[in-house]
């Protein structure tokens, strides 16, 4: 064990810029595989990404519907708005 610790000490200079999240140590303390931490983080990121994507898609749909309705009520103002935006579409 002493020899292995000495070997680790020699390698220490090569690993100075490595930052390990504290949660990884919690996984190890709980007897779990630290690779599960990476998988769990990726799964959480994917779930959050899907949630945000859904919100963005809904906001785009809302904007399109709002533009249609505003064009019905305020056609002149919407034409001016589109001209300012450099957009000649009717929605």
């Amino acid at each position: 064990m002493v020899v292995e610790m000495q070997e680790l000490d020699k390698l220490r200079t090569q690993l100075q810029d490595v930052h390990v999240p504290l949660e990884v140590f919690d996984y190890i303390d709980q007897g779990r595989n630290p690779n599960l931490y990476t998988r769990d983080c990726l799964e959480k990121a994917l779930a959050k990404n899907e949630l945000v994507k859904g919100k963005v898609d809904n906001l785009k749909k809302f904007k399109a519907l709002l533009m249609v309705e505003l064009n019905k009520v305020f056609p002149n103002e919407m034409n001016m708005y589109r001209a300012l935006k450099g957009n000649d579409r009717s929605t």
Side-chain angles (χ1 to χ4, degrees):
M1 187 168 173
V2 172
V3 173
E4 295 299 325
M5 294 298 279
Q6 289 172 340
E7 191 65 32
L8 281 174
D9 192 51
K10 290 178 191 175
L11 296 173
R12 180 178 55 178
T13 57
Q14 298 174 3
L15 302 173
Q16 286 182 346
D17 292 332
V18 175
H19 300 282
V20 178
L22 292 177
E23 292 86 3
V24 172
F25 295 111
D26 291 337
Y27 272 65
I28 294 168
D29 288 343
Q30 295 169 5
R32 299 170 68 190
N33 186 337
N35 290 334
L36 294 176
Y37 174 78
T38 303
R39 188 186 74 195
D40 290 345
C41 285
L42 287 174
E43 288 174 356
K44 288 177 187 175
L46 287 172
K48 184 71 171 179
N49 187 39
E50 287 296 317
L51 178 71
V52 171
K53 183 183 179 304
K55 288 180 180 182
V56 168
D57 290 345
N58 284 333
L59 285 172
K60 285 180 181 179
K61 290 176 187 175
F62 175 74
K63 179 185 176 189
L65 289 172
L66 181 62
M67 296 296 280
V68 168
E69 294 301 318
L70 285 173
N71 194 46
K72 290 177 185 176
V73 178
F74 304 107
N76 294 332
E77 289 82 356
M78 290 305 292
N79 286 334
M80 290 186 329
Y81 170 76
R82 281 191 294 279
L84 286 172
K85 295 284 286 184
N87 186 354
D88 293 331
R89 296 183 305 167
S90 62
T91 58

